[in-house]
Amino acid sequence: MKNSTVKTAIVTGASRGIGKAIAIKLAANGYQVVVNYANSEAEAQRVVAQIEQAGGIAIAVQADVSKIQQFENLFDMAEKTYGPVDVLINNAGVSKLSPIADSDDDLFDYLFNINVRGTVNGLKLAAKRLSQGGRIVNFSSTAVATSTPGMGLYVGTKAAVEAITKVFVKELRGRQITVNMIAPGLIQSEMFFEGKTAAQIAQMEKLSPLERFGSVDEVADAVAYLVSEDAGWVNGLLIRVNGGVA
Ligand code: NAP
């Protein structure tokens, strides 16, 4: 149901992991939430059910963020259902480990299409369609700071997101929209465990001075702050939510 006094947030890649935690957190904070997914429809519907059971408002909408037409449809569905969109969380992303020397065109295209083109698609649409006073949060990675071997192309995508975001902040002059970035690190999600051995994971658990992994909810808490009224003067900031590892 359209309720223009309630704010609306699109969270890309919200079928699991960090995006799911953000969708649940923002819904608990009173936002109408659009739970985006690319492939995992059942998981996305479960996120919506979980939000509704807690008294929140959400819909699931399929869209591959790397396809501009599908991202447009995502905005169309959000606006048709809830009215103008106030918040865009460009969380959707993919990672695949490979030394640069062994990487091929397919891996390059896969990572850059989703992580960079997908984020840029969101920014292009948000620039035209987000409400005055809106909020955007883009996703980088702590791996940009740690230069971890095997993550070269992935790090390249996230460094591009950081550089593009800094320009975009300035190009939004006059729109009263803040654009900030989160760079998670050592967060327990499917992406984090992908391609790592048990021994590697055990070793990584001690990397942070806090000597543990972070949770998806701890990333969602930082996002909730950045989109809140309290963060009105915070613009162009990168927050590394990583327990102090870098
Ligand atoms: P995840 O558990 O692998 O979840 C990724 C989400 O993105 C899924 O919901 C997936 O949905 C969605 N997605 C993938 N490709 C998509 C596309 N083309 N269009 C729309 N949605 C798409 O990952 P995560 O750990 O939560 O990561 C979330 C963000 O944080 C990413 O940008 C990642 O790079 C960043 N990050 C994570 C960590 C960490 O420690 N976990 C560290 C640094 C940065 P489907 O299943 O439907 O495809």
Side-chain angles (χ1 to χ4, degrees):
M1 200 208 305
K2 282 187 191 172
N3 183 343
S4 56
T5 60
V6 178
K7 289 194 169 156
T8 298
I10 294 176
V11 184
T12 67
S15 58
R16 63 170 180 272
I18 293 169
K20 173 182 174 180
I22 296 167
I24 289 169
K25 178 80 185 180
L26 296 188
N29 286 356
Y31 291 81
Q32 303 169 131
V33 178
V34 179
V35 174
N36 161 252
Y37 64 96
N39 305 295
S40 307
E41 183 179 6
E43 286 90 334
Q45 293 296 355
R46 276 199 288 275
V47 176
V48 169
Q50 192 176 332
I51 287 171
E52 287 176 344
Q53 272 159 23
I57 299 169
I59 49 163
V61 179
Q62 195 278 335
D64 176 345
V65 295
S66 70
K67 307 274 189 330
I68 187 73
Q69 187 59 58
Q70 294 189 28
F71 215 138
E72 274 186 46
N73 293 343
L74 177 60
F75 263 86
D76 289 347
M77 274 300 292
E79 288 171 359
K80 211 172 90 186
T81 312
Y82 299 131
V85 177
D86 303 285
V87 172
L88 173 64
I89 313 294
N90 269 321
N91 162 80
V94 288
S95 159
K96 202 165 192 305
L97 300 180
S98 167
I100 295 165
D102 300 334
S103 64
D104 58 19
D105 284 354
D106 287 345
L107 180 63
F108 185 98
D109 289 347
Y110 172 65
L111 294 173
F112 276 81
N113 266 331
I114 296 176
N115 295 356
V116 184
R117 193 191 303 276
T119 299
V120 170
N121 283 343
L123 298 182
K124 283 159 76 167
L125 293 163
K128 298 195 177 80
R129 298 172 70 159
L130 221 61
S131 303
Q132 190 85 352
R135 299 275 194 263
I136 300 170
V137 178
N138 287 341
F139 267 73
S140 180
S141 167
T142 287
V144 173
T146 53
S147 304
T148 310
M151 300 190 84
L153 294 187
Y154 173 75
V155 162
T157 67
K158 295 302 190 177
V161 166
E162 288 189 18
I164 290 165
T165 303
K166 286 180 190 162
V167 175
F168 187 72
V169 167
K170 296 181 181 175
E171 290 182 352
L172 277 190
R173 176 177 291 274
R175 293 277 279 108
Q176 302 303 325
I177 293 171
T178 67
V179 192
N180 292 292
M181 293 173 271
I182 297 277
L186 302 174
I187 302 298
Q188 283 176 305
S189 73
E190 270 182 46
M191 178 187 284
F192 177 73
F193 291 115
E194 206 175 277
K196 297 186 180 93
T197 64
Q200 283 171 323
I201 289 164
Q203 185 254 330
M204 291 179 91
E205 192 164 7
K206 298 287 175 208
L207 286 179
S208 157
L210 303 181
E211 297 193 321
R212 64 173 177 84
F213 288 127
S215 73
V216 292
D217 293 328
E218 288 172 310
V219 181
D221 288 343
V223 172
Y225 166 68
L226 288 175
V227 304
S228 72
E229 296 289 329
D230 290 347
W233 193 236
V234 178
N235 196 14
L237 182 72
L238 169 75
I239 302 183
R240 294 205 174 110
V241 184
N242 63 21
V245 74

mmCIF file of all heavy atoms in Angstrom, residues 118-156:
data_model
loop_
_atom_site.group_PDB
_atom_site.id
_atom_site.type_symbol
_atom_site.label_atom_id
_atom_site.label_comp_id
_atom_site.label_asym_id
_atom_site.label_seq_id
_atom_site.Cartn_x
_atom_site.Cartn_y
_atom_site.Cartn_z
ATOM 1 N N GLY A 118 26.768 -2.739 -12.172
ATOM 2 C CA GLY A 118 25.558 -2.820 -11.355
ATOM 3 C C GLY A 118 25.421 -1.613 -10.438
ATOM 4 O O GLY A 118 24.338 -1.031 -10.311
ATOM 5 N N THR A 119 26.526 -1.215 -9.812
ATOM 6 C CA THR A 119 26.491 -0.044 -8.930
ATOM 7 C C THR A 119 26.237 1.228 -9.743
ATOM 8 O O THR A 119 25.414 2.068 -9.357
ATOM 9 C CB THR A 119 27.830 0.064 -8.153
ATOM 10 O OG1 THR A 119 27.981 -1.120 -7.365
ATOM 11 C CG2 THR A 119 27.854 1.287 -7.252
ATOM 12 N N VAL A 120 26.917 1.359 -10.879
ATOM 13 C CA VAL A 120 26.738 2.558 -11.717
ATOM 14 C C VAL A 120 25.296 2.636 -12.218
ATOM 15 O O VAL A 120 24.684 3.725 -12.232
ATOM 16 C CB VAL A 120 27.740 2.564 -12.895
ATOM 17 C CG1 VAL A 120 27.406 3.660 -13.905
ATOM 18 C CG2 VAL A 120 29.165 2.752 -12.369
ATOM 19 N N ASN A 121 24.721 1.506 -12.601
ATOM 20 C CA ASN A 121 23.309 1.511 -13.022
ATOM 21 C C ASN A 121 22.435 2.090 -11.914
ATOM 22 O O ASN A 121 21.549 2.915 -12.170
ATOM 23 C CB ASN A 121 22.846 0.082 -13.352
ATOM 24 C CG ASN A 121 23.352 -0.391 -14.710
ATOM 25 O OD1 ASN A 121 23.766 0.421 -15.546
ATOM 26 N ND2 ASN A 121 23.326 -1.695 -14.944
ATOM 27 N N GLY A 122 22.687 1.654 -10.683
ATOM 28 C CA GLY A 122 21.905 2.163 -9.551
ATOM 29 C C GLY A 122 22.084 3.666 -9.371
ATOM 30 O O GLY A 122 21.117 4.392 -9.125
ATOM 31 N N LEU A 123 23.313 4.129 -9.524
ATOM 32 C CA LEU A 123 23.583 5.564 -9.343
ATOM 33 C C LEU A 123 22.897 6.396 -10.430
ATOM 34 O O LEU A 123 22.336 7.465 -10.149
ATOM 35 C CB LEU A 123 25.091 5.831 -9.349
ATOM 36 C CG LEU A 123 25.896 5.157 -8.221
ATOM 37 C CD1 LEU A 123 27.371 5.540 -8.321
ATOM 38 C CD2 LEU A 123 25.342 5.514 -6.847
ATOM 39 N N LYS A 124 22.948 5.895 -11.673
ATOM 40 C CA LYS A 124 22.320 6.627 -12.785
ATOM 41 C C LYS A 124 20.827 6.821 -12.529
ATOM 42 O O LYS A 124 20.277 7.908 -12.723
ATOM 43 C CB LYS A 124 22.509 5.848 -14.097
ATOM 44 C CG LYS A 124 23.906 5.984 -14.670
ATOM 45 C CD LYS A 124 24.253 4.889 -15.630
ATOM 46 C CE LYS A 124 23.621 5.024 -16.990
ATOM 47 N NZ LYS A 124 24.266 4.082 -17.957
ATOM 48 N N LEU A 125 20.189 5.751 -12.077
ATOM 49 C CA LEU A 125 18.745 5.818 -11.845
ATOM 50 C C LEU A 125 18.419 6.637 -10.605
ATOM 51 O O LEU A 125 17.477 7.427 -10.601
ATOM 52 C CB LEU A 125 18.171 4.398 -11.719
ATOM 53 C CG LEU A 125 18.243 3.612 -13.030
ATOM 54 C CD1 LEU A 125 18.060 2.128 -12.794
ATOM 55 C CD2 LEU A 125 17.193 4.139 -14.009
ATOM 56 N N ALA A 126 19.246 6.460 -9.555
ATOM 57 C CA ALA A 126 18.999 7.204 -8.310
ATOM 58 C C ALA A 126 19.141 8.704 -8.543
ATOM 59 O O ALA A 126 18.388 9.498 -7.971
ATOM 60 C CB ALA A 126 19.970 6.738 -7.234
ATOM 61 N N ALA A 127 20.104 9.106 -9.381
ATOM 62 C CA ALA A 127 20.316 10.532 -9.658
ATOM 63 C C ALA A 127 19.039 11.167 -10.204
ATOM 64 O O ALA A 127 18.717 12.313 -9.901
ATOM 65 C CB ALA A 127 21.456 10.708 -10.656
ATOM 66 N N LYS A 128 18.291 10.401 -10.988
ATOM 67 C CA LYS A 128 17.076 10.942 -11.616
ATOM 68 C C LYS A 128 15.834 10.701 -10.766
ATOM 69 O O LYS A 128 14.890 11.479 -10.818
ATOM 70 C CB LYS A 128 16.877 10.289 -12.977
ATOM 71 C CG LYS A 128 18.007 10.558 -13.954
ATOM 72 C CD LYS A 128 17.607 10.212 -15.384
ATOM 73 C CE LYS A 128 18.721 10.559 -16.354
ATOM 74 N NZ LYS A 128 19.784 9.556 -16.410
ATOM 75 N N ARG A 129 15.834 9.610 -9.996
ATOM 76 C CA ARG A 129 14.549 9.181 -9.418
ATOM 77 C C ARG A 129 14.469 9.200 -7.898
ATOM 78 O O ARG A 129 13.362 9.060 -7.355
ATOM 79 C CB ARG A 129 14.220 7.766 -9.939
ATOM 80 C CG ARG A 129 14.055 7.780 -11.446
ATOM 81 C CD ARG A 129 13.917 6.408 -12.064
ATOM 82 N NE ARG A 129 12.659 5.763 -11.763
ATOM 83 C CZ ARG A 129 12.148 4.775 -12.490
ATOM 84 N NH1 ARG A 129 12.780 4.354 -13.582
ATOM 85 N NH2 ARG A 129 11.016 4.208 -12.148
ATOM 86 N N LEU A 130 15.595 9.350 -7.188
ATOM 87 C CA LEU A 130 15.535 9.330 -5.725
ATOM 88 C C LEU A 130 14.916 10.633 -5.214
ATOM 89 O O LEU A 130 15.135 11.689 -5.794
ATOM 90 C CB LEU A 130 16.946 9.162 -5.152
ATOM 91 C CG LEU A 130 17.074 8.217 -3.957
ATOM 92 C CD1 LEU A 130 16.645 6.802 -4.319
ATOM 93 C CD2 LEU A 130 18.523 8.190 -3.444
ATOM 94 N N SER A 131 14.167 10.544 -4.128
ATOM 95 C CA SER A 131 13.539 11.728 -3.529
ATOM 96 C C SER A 131 14.599 12.723 -3.082
ATOM 97 O O SER A 131 15.696 12.324 -2.680
ATOM 98 C CB SER A 131 12.756 11.348 -2.273
ATOM 99 O OG SER A 131 11.804 10.393 -2.555
ATOM 100 N N GLN A 132 14.228 13.992 -3.112
ATOM 101 C CA GLN A 132 15.060 15.045 -2.505
ATOM 102 C C GLN A 132 15.290 14.655 -1.040
ATOM 103 O O GLN A 132 14.348 14.224 -0.366
ATOM 104 C CB GLN A 132 14.281 16.376 -2.622
ATOM 105 C CG GLN A 132 15.054 17.605 -2.276
ATOM 106 C CD GLN A 132 15.857 18.140 -3.470
ATOM 107 O OE1 GLN A 132 15.944 17.499 -4.508
ATOM 108 N NE2 GLN A 132 16.448 19.309 -3.303
ATOM 109 N N GLY A 133 16.527 14.787 -0.569
ATOM 110 C CA GLY A 133 16.817 14.390 0.820
ATOM 111 C C GLY A 133 17.079 12.903 0.973
ATOM 112 O O GLY A 133 17.124 12.391 2.093
ATOM 113 N N GLY A 134 17.275 12.220 -0.152
ATOM 114 C CA GLY A 134 17.456 10.759 -0.110
ATOM 115 C C GLY A 134 18.842 10.332 0.358
ATOM 116 O O GLY A 134 19.706 11.166 0.700
ATOM 117 N N ARG A 135 19.028 9.032 0.369
ATOM 118 C CA ARG A 135 20.279 8.437 0.861
ATOM 119 C C ARG A 135 20.715 7.307 -0.077
ATOM 120 O O ARG A 135 19.880 6.477 -0.470
ATOM 121 C CB ARG A 135 20.065 7.812 2.239
ATOM 122 C CG ARG A 135 19.622 8.777 3.330
ATOM 123 C CD ARG A 135 20.839 9.448 3.936
ATOM 124 N NE ARG A 135 20.538 10.120 5.176
ATOM 125 C CZ ARG A 135 20.277 11.422 5.302
ATOM 126 N NH1 ARG A 135 20.244 12.196 4.238
ATOM 127 N NH2 ARG A 135 20.054 11.954 6.492
ATOM 128 N N ILE A 136 22.021 7.266 -0.364
ATOM 129 C CA ILE A 136 22.580 6.152 -1.139
ATOM 130 C C ILE A 136 23.749 5.578 -0.349
ATOM 131 O O ILE A 136 24.562 6.340 0.211
ATOM 132 C CB ILE A 136 23.084 6.624 -2.522
ATOM 133 C CG1 ILE A 136 21.935 7.230 -3.345
ATOM 134 C CG2 ILE A 136 23.719 5.463 -3.298
ATOM 135 C CD1 ILE A 136 22.388 7.929 -4.627
ATOM 136 N N VAL A 137 23.849 4.258 -0.296
ATOM 137 C CA VAL A 137 25.021 3.609 0.299
ATOM 138 C C VAL A 137 25.563 2.604 -0.718
ATOM 139 O O VAL A 137 24.829 1.718 -1.178
ATOM 140 C CB VAL A 137 24.692 2.892 1.624
ATOM 141 C CG1 VAL A 137 25.933 2.202 2.180
ATOM 142 C CG2 VAL A 137 24.122 3.872 2.651
ATOM 143 N N ASN A 138 26.839 2.783 -1.093
ATOM 144 C CA ASN A 138 27.509 1.849 -2.007
ATOM 145 C C ASN A 138 28.405 0.904 -1.225
ATOM 146 O O ASN A 138 28.861 1.233 -0.128
ATOM 147 C CB ASN A 138 28.351 2.617 -3.027
ATOM 148 C CG ASN A 138 27.488 3.308 -4.064
ATOM 149 O OD1 ASN A 138 26.325 2.960 -4.261
ATOM 150 N ND2 ASN A 138 28.051 4.309 -4.719
ATOM 151 N N PHE A 139 28.707 -0.248 -1.841
ATOM 152 C CA PHE A 139 29.512 -1.261 -1.152
ATOM 153 C C PHE A 139 30.878 -1.466 -1.768
ATOM 154 O O PHE A 139 31.012 -1.869 -2.923
ATOM 155 C CB PHE A 139 28.746 -2.586 -1.066
ATOM 156 C CG PHE A 139 27.988 -2.668 0.231
ATOM 157 C CD1 PHE A 139 26.853 -1.904 0.420
ATOM 158 C CD2 PHE A 139 28.457 -3.441 1.273
ATOM 159 C CE1 PHE A 139 26.187 -1.911 1.635
ATOM 160 C CE2 PHE A 139 27.797 -3.466 2.490
ATOM 161 C CZ PHE A 139 26.661 -2.699 2.680
ATOM 162 N N SER A 140 31.913 -1.186 -0.970
ATOM 163 C CA SER A 140 33.284 -1.516 -1.334
ATOM 164 C C SER A 140 33.688 -2.750 -0.530
ATOM 165 O O SER A 140 32.844 -3.557 -0.137
ATOM 166 C CB SER A 140 34.195 -0.326 -1.038
ATOM 167 O OG SER A 140 35.531 -0.642 -1.386
ATOM 168 N N SER A 141 34.985 -2.888 -0.269
ATOM 169 C CA SER A 141 35.480 -4.024 0.519
ATOM 170 C C SER A 141 36.763 -3.620 1.221
ATOM 171 O O SER A 141 37.569 -2.849 0.668
ATOM 172 C CB SER A 141 35.773 -5.214 -0.398
ATOM 173 O OG SER A 141 36.517 -6.190 0.309
ATOM 174 N N THR A 142 36.987 -4.174 2.401
ATOM 175 C CA THR A 142 38.248 -3.938 3.115
ATOM 176 C C THR A 142 39.431 -4.500 2.333
ATOM 177 O O THR A 142 40.573 -4.062 2.513
ATOM 178 C CB THR A 142 38.156 -4.564 4.528
ATOM 179 O OG1 THR A 142 37.300 -3.739 5.305
ATOM 180 C CG2 THR A 142 39.514 -4.648 5.207
ATOM 181 N N ALA A 143 39.174 -5.430 1.410
ATOM 182 C CA ALA A 143 40.257 -5.999 0.599
ATOM 183 C C ALA A 143 40.962 -4.931 -0.233
ATOM 184 O O ALA A 143 42.116 -5.101 -0.629
ATOM 185 C CB ALA A 143 39.718 -7.106 -0.305
ATOM 186 N N VAL A 144 40.288 -3.798 -0.486
ATOM 187 C CA VAL A 144 40.939 -2.686 -1.190
ATOM 188 C C VAL A 144 42.116 -2.174 -0.351
ATOM 189 O O VAL A 144 43.153 -1.777 -0.885
ATOM 190 C CB VAL A 144 39.932 -1.536 -1.480
ATOM 191 C CG1 VAL A 144 40.631 -0.315 -2.060
ATOM 192 C CG2 VAL A 144 38.829 -2.008 -2.417
ATOM 193 N N ALA A 145 41.951 -2.205 0.974
ATOM 194 C CA ALA A 145 43.023 -1.725 1.863
ATOM 195 C C ALA A 145 44.063 -2.799 2.139
ATOM 196 O O ALA A 145 45.232 -2.481 2.358
ATOM 197 C CB ALA A 145 42.417 -1.250 3.181
ATOM 198 N N THR A 146 43.664 -4.066 2.128
ATOM 199 C CA THR A 146 44.612 -5.129 2.514
ATOM 200 C C THR A 146 45.381 -5.693 1.316
ATOM 201 O O THR A 146 46.364 -6.415 1.496
ATOM 202 C CB THR A 146 43.876 -6.288 3.228
ATOM 203 O OG1 THR A 146 42.795 -6.735 2.400
ATOM 204 C CG2 THR A 146 43.348 -5.855 4.578
ATOM 205 N N SER A 147 44.902 -5.388 0.074
ATOM 206 C CA SER A 147 45.557 -5.899 -1.150
ATOM 207 C C SER A 147 45.815 -7.411 -1.056
ATOM 208 O O SER A 147 46.917 -7.888 -1.339
ATOM 209 C CB SER A 147 46.876 -5.162 -1.417
ATOM 210 O OG SER A 147 46.662 -3.781 -1.485
ATOM 211 N N THR A 148 44.792 -8.143 -0.693
ATOM 212 C CA THR A 148 44.921 -9.580 -0.455
ATOM 213 C C THR A 148 45.186 -10.345 -1.752
ATOM 214 O O THR A 148 44.421 -10.210 -2.712
ATOM 215 C CB THR A 148 43.617 -10.117 0.199
ATOM 216 O OG1 THR A 148 43.307 -9.270 1.303
ATOM 217 C CG2 THR A 148 43.773 -11.556 0.648
ATOM 218 N N PRO A 149 46.259 -11.163 -1.802
ATOM 219 C CA PRO A 149 46.517 -11.963 -3.012
ATOM 220 C C PRO A 149 45.311 -12.849 -3.340
ATOM 221 O O PRO A 149 44.664 -13.383 -2.436
ATOM 222 C CB PRO A 149 47.725 -12.823 -2.603
ATOM 223 C CG PRO A 149 48.387 -12.055 -1.507
ATOM 224 C CD PRO A 149 47.286 -11.363 -0.761
ATOM 225 N N GLY A 150 45.022 -12.972 -4.636
ATOM 226 C CA GLY A 150 43.880 -13.771 -5.082
ATOM 227 C C GLY A 150 42.620 -12.948 -5.262
ATOM 228 O O GLY A 150 41.646 -13.410 -5.842
ATOM 229 N N MET A 151 42.656 -11.703 -4.752
ATOM 230 C CA MET A 151 41.443 -10.878 -4.842
ATOM 231 C C MET A 151 41.626 -9.704 -5.801
ATOM 232 O O MET A 151 40.875 -8.736 -5.763
ATOM 233 C CB MET A 151 41.059 -10.379 -3.445
ATOM 234 C CG MET A 151 40.791 -11.508 -2.473
ATOM 235 S SD MET A 151 40.080 -10.949 -0.915
ATOM 236 C CE MET A 151 38.356 -10.858 -1.353
ATOM 237 N N GLY A 152 42.650 -9.794 -6.669
ATOM 238 C CA GLY A 152 43.022 -8.658 -7.520
ATOM 239 C C GLY A 152 41.887 -8.053 -8.314
ATOM 240 O O GLY A 152 41.653 -6.840 -8.257
ATOM 241 N N LEU A 153 41.172 -8.878 -9.085
ATOM 242 C CA LEU A 153 40.112 -8.311 -9.929
ATOM 243 C C LEU A 153 38.951 -7.807 -9.079
ATOM 244 O O LEU A 153 38.382 -6.743 -9.352
ATOM 245 C CB LEU A 153 39.620 -9.350 -10.947
ATOM 246 C CG LEU A 153 40.642 -9.781 -12.006
ATOM 247 C CD1 LEU A 153 39.981 -10.673 -13.053
ATOM 248 C CD2 LEU A 153 41.281 -8.574 -12.682
ATOM 249 N N TYR A 154 38.617 -8.562 -8.052
ATOM 250 C CA TYR A 154 37.545 -8.140 -7.136
ATOM 251 C C TYR A 154 37.902 -6.792 -6.501
ATOM 252 O O TYR A 154 37.080 -5.866 -6.465
ATOM 253 C CB TYR A 154 37.350 -9.219 -6.072
ATOM 254 C CG TYR A 154 36.386 -8.852 -4.960
ATOM 255 C CD1 TYR A 154 35.011 -8.838 -5.178
ATOM 256 C CD2 TYR A 154 36.859 -8.516 -3.694
ATOM 257 C CE1 TYR A 154 34.136 -8.495 -4.151
ATOM 258 C CE2 TYR A 154 35.996 -8.182 -2.662
ATOM 259 C CZ TYR A 154 34.638 -8.165 -2.897
ATOM 260 O OH TYR A 154 33.768 -7.837 -1.878
ATOM 261 N N VAL A 155 39.140 -6.671 -6.023
ATOM 262 C CA VAL A 155 39.609 -5.416 -5.433
ATOM 263 C C VAL A 155 39.518 -4.290 -6.472
ATOM 264 O O VAL A 155 39.135 -3.155 -6.150
ATOM 265 C CB VAL A 155 41.051 -5.583 -4.901
ATOM 266 C CG1 VAL A 155 41.732 -4.240 -4.682
ATOM 267 C CG2 VAL A 155 41.038 -6.386 -3.603
ATOM 268 N N GLY A 156 39.841 -4.608 -7.714
ATOM 269 C CA GLY A 156 39.736 -3.617 -8.797
ATOM 270 C C GLY A 156 38.313 -3.097 -8.937
ATOM 271 O O GLY A 156 38.096 -1.890 -9.116
#
